[in-house]
Amino acid sequence: MRPWQTGFSLVLLLTLLLASAGSVAAQIQIAPPEVASYTYGEEILFRAIANTPTPVEGASLVIQRPGSTEPWTLAATVTPLPNLQSELTAAFNPAGQGLPAFSTLNYHFEITTPSGQLAVGPSGQFQYADNRFEWQTLPGERAQVHWYRGENSLAQAVGQAASRSPQRMAEILDLRLPEPVDIYVYADTESLQSVLAQSGHSWVAGRAEPEKGVILVALPTGPDQKILAEQRIPHELMHIALYLTLGEDYYNLPAWLNEGLASAAELYPNPEYPLLVNTAYQDTGVLSFSILCPRFPGDASTTLLAYAQSTSFVRFILERYGKAGMQSLVQAYASGQDCEQGAQVALGVPLSELEQIWRDETFGERLSDESQSSDFTPWLVVILATLAVPLVLGWVILRKKRY
C-alpha cells in the first residue's frame, strides 16, 4: 500500500470512529425539562425524561446563575424507565446562594456516555417566585400589582402611586420611564424581609430588581398604608427608571445619589428626615458623603441617617443647580467619574466643597463661625485699647527721662 493510501485509510478510520461516537450521543434525546416541585427558600426539584438506548455514564443539571457567567452545575440522578427511557432529576437548594426572589432561571440537563460524549438537552425557564402565598393580580398601565392580603383598594392605591410617579420623576431628570412592572405587595415587613434576606437585604421595607422590572414592598395594614405606598412605590420605580436610562452604567452611581434621587421622587416625602439630619448634626455629627459613595453602612440606624442625608443633599443640588445640573451630575458619574471629581466635572466644584456648601446652607456652619468672630470683635478692640494706654504712657515717660 502506498504511503498516501495509508494516510487516507487512517483519516477515514478516524472519521468513522468520530461519527460512530457522535451517533452514540445523538441517540440520546432529552425532552424539555420542568420543575416538578419547589418550596420557596428550600428546594427546587428539576426533572426531565430522556431516551437512552445507549449506556449512560452520568448526568448533570446546569443552571445559569443570574448576573454571572459561571453556572451552577449539580449531579443529576438517572433512573431507568421502560422502553429505553430514563428519568433525570436534580434537587437544588437556593438557600445561601444569593438568589433574589422572582429571578428567572435558565437551566438544562446534560448526559455523558461511557466514551465521554456529551448529550445536551433543551433549555427551560423557571421563575423563582415566592409561592408561600396565593397572589392576586390587578393589571395596570404602569404596573401589575400582586397582593395576597387586603381588599382591591390596596392594589388600586399601589397602582395609582405607580401612575402618578412618572410626572414627579420627569421634574427631576429626563428618564426612560418604566414599562409595566410587577409589584409584589407583602402584608408585613417580616414576610418581605425573610425574602430579602436571601440576597443580603434583610431590613429594608422595599426593594427594586431593576434588571427584572420587579418591585417587592411591604405595606402593612393601617392608617398610613396609602402614605407608605406613595413613598415606597415611586422610590423603587425611580431605581428602575434610572437603570432603564443608564443601562449597566447605573451601577456607577454613588449610593448617596442613587438613593437620594429615589427619595426625591417620593410623592409623600418622609417628614422625619429633616429632624433626623439636624439631630445627628447636633449630637454625633453627620456622615461624610465620601463614605456614602460605594455603599450605605450595614446597620439599620446609620443607614437611615444615610438615606435622610442623601435626600437632603440631592434636594439641595436640585434647588441650586436645577434639573440640568442634576442631569449633568448623573451623566458624569454614569460615565465612570470618581466620587470627588464627578461633581467637579458636572457642577464645577468637587464633592468635598459641594458638601461644605450644603452644610453651610443646612446648618449655617460658616455663618455661625463668622457670627462668632464678629461678636468677639468689640471685645478685641477693648482689650487692645486697654493694653495700648500703659504702653503709650510708658513710652512718654522714657522719652522725658532721656531728655
Side-chain angles (χ1 to χ4, degrees):
M1 183 178 294
R2 296 179 181 179
W4 68 268
Q5 292 176 318
T6 303
F8 178 77
S9 299
L10 290 174
V11 171
L12 179 60
L13 178 60
L14 181 60
T15 302
L16 291 173
L17 288 173
L18 291 173
S20 175
S23 65
V24 170
Q27 293 175 30
I28 298 175
Q29 296 181 343
I30 306 174
E34 63 181 3
V35 171
S37 64
Y38 85 98
T39 301
Y40 179 80
E42 296 181 15
E43 181 182 272
I44 308 172
L45 182 62
F46 296 90
R47 175 180 179 272
I49 300 296
N51 291 319
T52 52
T54 57
V56 173
E57 179 70 20
S60 58
L61 172 71
V62 180
I63 305 173
Q64 183 57 52
R65 190 192 304 259
S68 173
T69 57
E70 294 294 327
W72 288 301
T73 302
L74 294 78
T77 301
V78 181
T79 304
L81 299 174
N83 301 320
L84 299 176
Q85 290 188 326
S86 296
E87 181 185 49
L88 310 178
T89 56
F92 173 67
N93 189 341
Q97 300 292 345
L99 182 62
F102 302 97
S103 296
T104 299
L105 299 179
N106 294 285
Y107 62 98
H108 67 269
F109 281 97
E110 297 178 352
I111 291 178
T112 304
T113 67
S115 62
Q117 297 300 305
L118 188 66
V120 180
S123 294
Q125 277 194 341
F126 166 68
Q127 188 186 44
Y128 181 51
D130 185 353
N131 64 349
R132 297 174 301 169
F133 309 104
E134 294 184 8
W135 296 94
Q136 304 178 66
T137 300
L138 178 67
E141 181 182 356
R142 287 290 174 192
Q144 306 264 14
V145 183
H146 310 274
W147 83 107
Y148 60 86
R149 187 184 302 167
E151 304 298 326
N152 283 6
S153 57
L154 168 61
Q156 290 169 354
V158 171
Q160 289 171 1
S163 297
R164 292 172 55 201
S165 296
Q167 180 178 353
R168 173 58 183 149
M169 290 190 290
E171 296 171 359
I172 301 171
L173 286 171
D174 292 328
L175 295 165
R176 179 182 170 189
L177 299 178
E179 300 296 328
V181 298
D182 287 295
I183 302 176
Y184 291 86
V185 180
Y186 284 81
D188 54 79
T189 306
E190 293 75 19
S191 296
L192 173 63
Q193 290 177 350
S194 69
V195 172
L196 297 181
Q198 301 286 329
S199 54
H201 302 276
S202 58
W203 53 266
V204 296
R207 177 74 177 169
E209 298 290 343
E211 304 90 339
K212 300 192 292 288
V214 170
I215 291 173
L216 311 180
V217 63
L219 295 175
T221 302
D224 295 335
Q225 191 176 60
K226 184 178 179 181
I227 291 175
L228 291 176
E230 292 180 343
Q231 288 177 348
R232 295 173 182 176
I233 301 304
H235 185 109
E236 304 305 335
L237 280 173
M238 175 58 103
H239 286 309
I240 295 179
L242 284 168
Y243 177 80
L244 289 174
T245 303
L246 302 174
E248 292 300 309
D249 292 338
Y250 165 82
Y251 297 104
N252 292 335
L253 297 182
W256 63 261
L257 180 58
N258 196 343
E259 294 299 342
L261 285 169
S263 294
E266 294 174 3
L267 299 175
Y268 186 89
N270 192 323
E272 297 178 2
Y273 279 177
L275 178 61
L276 181 61
V277 172
N278 282 297
T279 301
Y281 181 78
Q282 296 295 333
D283 294 346
T284 59
V286 293
L287 305 167
S288 170
F289 284 103
S290 62
I291 68 171
L292 300 180
C293 286
R295 66 189 63 85
F296 279 2
D299 62 290
S301 59
T302 310
T303 298
L304 185 61
L305 174 59
Y307 273 99
Q309 273 191 226
S310 299
T311 304
S312 174
F313 196 39
V314 165
R315 286 179 178 158
F316 154 76
I317 294 172
L318 281 168
E319 290 174 2
R320 189 177 185 88
Y321 297 97
K323 179 178 176 179
M326 183 59 72
Q327 196 83 31
S328 297
L329 186 64
V330 168
Q331 290 299 330
Y333 282 125
S335 68
Q337 295 289 335
D338 67 33
C339 212
E340 182 72 6
Q341 292 304 311
Q344 176 73 55
V345 170
L347 306 176
V349 292
L351 178 64
S352 54
E353 185 175 338
L354 187 64
E355 178 179 343
Q356 185 58 58
I357 299 171
W358 167 76
R359 294 170 72 101
D360 294 343
E361 295 199 4
T362 304
F363 311 113
E365 276 193 350
R366 287 179 180 168
L367 180 62
S368 177
D369 292 342
E370 292 173 0
S371 175
Q372 291 176 8
S373 175
S374 177
D375 290 344
F376 185 69
T377 300
W379 294 102
L380 183 62
V381 172
V382 172
I383 292 171
L384 291 175
T386 303
L387 292 175
V389 170
L391 288 174
V392 171
L393 289 175
W395 178 76
V396 171
I397 293 170
L398 287 174
R399 283 181 62 84
K400 286 182 177 180
K401 287 182 177 181
R402 187 175 298 176
Y403 296 102

